[in-house]
Amino acid sequence: MSNDVKYHVLLKGLNAGHALPKPPVSILLGPTGVNLEKFCRHFNEWSKNMEGTIDVGVIIFNDLSYAILPKKQYLDFKKNEMSEILSTSNLYKQFKEKEDKLFHSHR
C-alpha cells in the first residue's frame, strides 16, 4: 500500500452493513477511481456488527487502496495531517513569526 494520500472522503449516513454502489457512495467515491462494488463489500463486512446509520471517513491512497475509519478517527487523522502540512509551510512560519512579534511586543 502506498503511503501517499490521494483523496479524503467523508461519507455520512451510510446504513451499517448495507452500503450499495449507488448514491451517495457512487457520487462521492466514483470520481476517485475506487472500485465501488469492492468498497461496498469491504464496508459491509467492516460494519456488519454495527446498527443504524454511521459516518465514516475514507482515506484513498495513490494506488487506489483505501482505509475505512470511524468518523472520529478520520477527523483525528485529518487534523494530524493538516498540522504536519501547516508546520512545514511558509505561510504557517510567516504567521508564527508575526504572532511571536506581536505577542512579545505587548509584554
Side-chain angles (χ1 to χ4, degrees), residues 71-94:
K71 183 180 176 183
K72 182 175 180 347
Q73 275 185 294
Y74 170 74
L75 295 176
D76 289 344
F77 174 84
K78 287 274 293 179
K79 180 181 172 185
N80 291 337
E81 186 179 63
M82 290 307 296
S83 294
E84 288 176 24
I85 291 169
L86 287 176
S87 68
T88 60
S89 75
N90 287 333
L91 181 63
Y92 179 76
K93 289 175 185 173
Q94 291 170 3

Side-chain angles (χ1 to χ4, degrees), residues 13 22 36 38 41 43 45 49 62 79 83 100-101 107:
K22 62 180 192 175
L36 298 177
K38 182 179 174 183
R41 277 195 315 272
F43 173 82
E45 181 65 28
N49 295 323
N62 281 333
K79 180 181 172 185
S83 294
D100 289 343
K101 287 178 186 175
R107 282 187 173 181

Side-chain angles (χ1 to χ4, degrees), residues 3 8 11-12 38 44 49 61 63 70 90-91 101:
N3 288 332
H8 295 270
L11 297 171
K12 293 184 171 187
K38 182 179 174 183
N44 291 337
N49 295 323
F61 302 96
D63 63 0
N90 287 333
L91 181 63
K101 287 178 186 175

